[in-house]
Amino acid sequence: MGAVGIVFGDIGTSPLYTLRECLKAAGGVTQTNIYGIVSLILWSILLVVTLKYVSFVMRADNDGEGGILALTALASGVAPARLRHLLLTLGVFGAAMFYGDSMITPAISVISAVEGVTLIHPGLSHAIVPISLVILTGLFAIQKSGTGAVGKIFGPVMIVWFLVLAALGVLHIVEHPDILRAASPQYALAFIAHSPATAFIVLGSVFLALTGGEALYADMGHFGKSPIRFAWLFLVWPSLILNYFGQGALVLAHPKLVQQPFFNLAPGWALLPLVILAAAATVIASQAVISGAFSMTKQAVQLGFLPRTPVVHTSKKEIGQVYVPFVNLSLFVAVVFLVVFFKSSDNLASAYGIAVASTMLLTTLLMSFVTHSLWRWKPLTTAAVIGPMAIVDLAFVSSNVSKILDGGWFPLAAGALLFTVMTTWHRGRAALITQMKADNPPLRDLLASLREGSHAPSHVEGTAVFPGSVVGMTPTAFMHNLKHNRVLHRTNIFLAGATDNVPYTREAERLTVESLGEGCFAVTVRHGFMEIPNVPALLRLAQKDIPGWTYEVEDTSFFLARDTIIATGETHAMALWRDKLFAFLGRNAARAAEYYSLPPNRVVELGGQINI
């Protein structure tokens, strides 16, 4: 029920505008166009969504997690070392494009539903934008309740929606059963052969029927692959196909109804209820990409592609269900801009598709590394499966290029901006760690010098914990503490973390403890890209490996470095403008104390300055 309510909203509301945009791109209503386009839609959904995503890509889950970043972590973990940087770049670019799609989906979905009011009364056209903004504001306001709670509310609505799609389609298929001939691929091939140039342009609109495919994979961590597959095969897919065929039958019999073929499927008495149901369904359509963006952000933070940002876990049972306040606000601002700027689903359709088409192509390329290096497929088998998928994806990407000047520039610009931010943060962190290693001696060497030196620091009671260190490196906060306070606690714990290419790590493999002598211990923590380190919980886990020590909150002080990053260009790792961007991102990252779940009254922050 939750999966139906969250995952399929995007692709489930595509019938509102897809056939209309396809016929417009084809130049009008003719029998050849209708049969060819309906056939193209059928076979595109079969090949891309059912065969590629549901049957193939969803097998490549990373311990249950999906989405292009989870796939990137999986592929880069098995690919040759020389190709890992390339794979990471491809994955980050695909993630950035997914964010671009997450902005357009809510806008086009809700506007396309609200436009149905013009069939009730033409004078209501001026109210489309205000009504859409009110609906979208409500949607983003309820995100903090969590995807699980939202899914339980939305699930029954979406089940009704898909049953109505199927019923409306069957109603008109029965009246004009000749439309069933479009099930044969020969009509799609004949349409392409009749006018290849027109068919190429039409493919960009046919792709609108597929735009929720990537969300199926990205949302897999919220509900698991089995509920998604079951719902698709036995409810969503049949309902969509029946509705598209029903629209084809309607327009074939009544060409003048091409402006709103979906809403004209309903009898007059059912029009208002259908508009209301469509509005509810499009709100849910937006939920699929919003929840996908939340999961993507959490992965990006843990993999080191975005700065720390507060992540709220909204379910005690499903660890993948999260809410990210900053992303929610950012998406809301972008969606409001799109609604106000483009004003209609016709205009937004021109901007829609190119971002998610690019992500789909990159997913296919990453799958080639998974099949060959992880699943050990023979090169010929990999080529035989991946090759046709890549050709189909490339055809959709190419056909969507024509949309760039008509609005496709927006998701590309948004994706390019996010790609720049993500790669800058990733490279900046590497440069920062290099600089810190140069400024601070190795931890073992420093501790040895303290023991052997004539001016050893004084020892005080209690435990000092230094979270967020780099393995083997002296934490900056420890250096500041020695320099300013000139003391060493009875027990000193240096927590150094590393993110694995898996979403979750087992408790037995989560940490290792090494004694450094004189009451100092190096604790190396391994966590997955879907896990946020909880330092108090880690200390309770570590106490069994530290003889004679137990974690007591009132006896523990947490020392954090709150260094100011100054962009000087000294490291030459990046251009100066990127150094400044990295410094800006660092200043606005979430506070480490909150991110690591530290008790606020036991935290000591020591500041300094680092030049990069």
Side-chain angles (χ1 to χ4, degrees), residues 96-97 99-101 103 334 408-421:
M97 290 298 105
Y99 281 115
D101 176 58
M103 298 172 186
W409 56 268
F410 179 83
L412 290 179
L417 176 62
L418 285 163
F419 179 75
T420 302
V421 167

Side-chain angles (χ1 to χ4, degrees), residues 60-66 70 217-225 503-504:
D61 67 294
N62 198 332
D63 280 359
E65 287 297 324
Y217 184 45
D219 279 329
M220 189 166 62
H222 287 258
F223 300 101
K225 65 179 72 172
Y504 308 104

Side-chain angles (χ1 to χ4, degrees), residues 332-405:
F332 175 66
V333 172
V335 168
V336 168
F337 167 79
L338 287 167
V339 170
V340 173
F341 184 80
F342 286 96
K343 293 184 173 63
S344 73
S345 61
D346 279 350
N347 296 333
L348 278 165
S350 299
Y352 202 28
I354 189 166
V356 72
S358 303
T359 305
M360 286 184 171
L361 176 60
L362 293 173
T363 295
T364 301
L365 296 178
L366 290 169
M367 282 298 299
S368 66
F369 289 92
V370 172
T371 55
H372 179 65
S373 301
L374 182 62
W375 296 349
R376 302 297 181 186
W377 286 13
K378 295 180 180 179
L380 190 60
T381 305
T382 296
V385 174
I386 297 295
M389 291 182 180
I391 291 171
V392 172
D393 289 337
L394 191 59
F396 281 121
V397 171
S398 302
S399 63
N400 275 285
V401 168
S402 61
K403 297 181 177 182
I404 291 178
L405 295 179

Side-chain angles (χ1 to χ4, degrees), residues 475-494:
T476 304
F478 184 61
M479 294 292 292
H480 290 331
N481 190 41
L482 284 176
K483 181 166 61 174
H484 295 290
N485 298 325
R486 299 180 182 177
V487 297
L488 201 63
H489 285 70
R490 178 176 296 277
T491 304
N492 299 274
I493 298 176
F494 303 92

Side-chain angles (χ1 to χ4, degrees), residues 99-134:
Y99 281 115
D101 176 58
S102 300
M103 298 172 186
I104 295 184
T105 295
I108 189 173
S109 298
V110 172
I111 281 186
S112 62
V114 176
E115 284 173 344
V117 301
T118 59
L119 294 179
I120 299 171
H121 193 290
L124 292 174
S125 59
H126 68 279
I128 291 173
V129 170
I131 294 174
S132 299
L133 291 176
V134 169

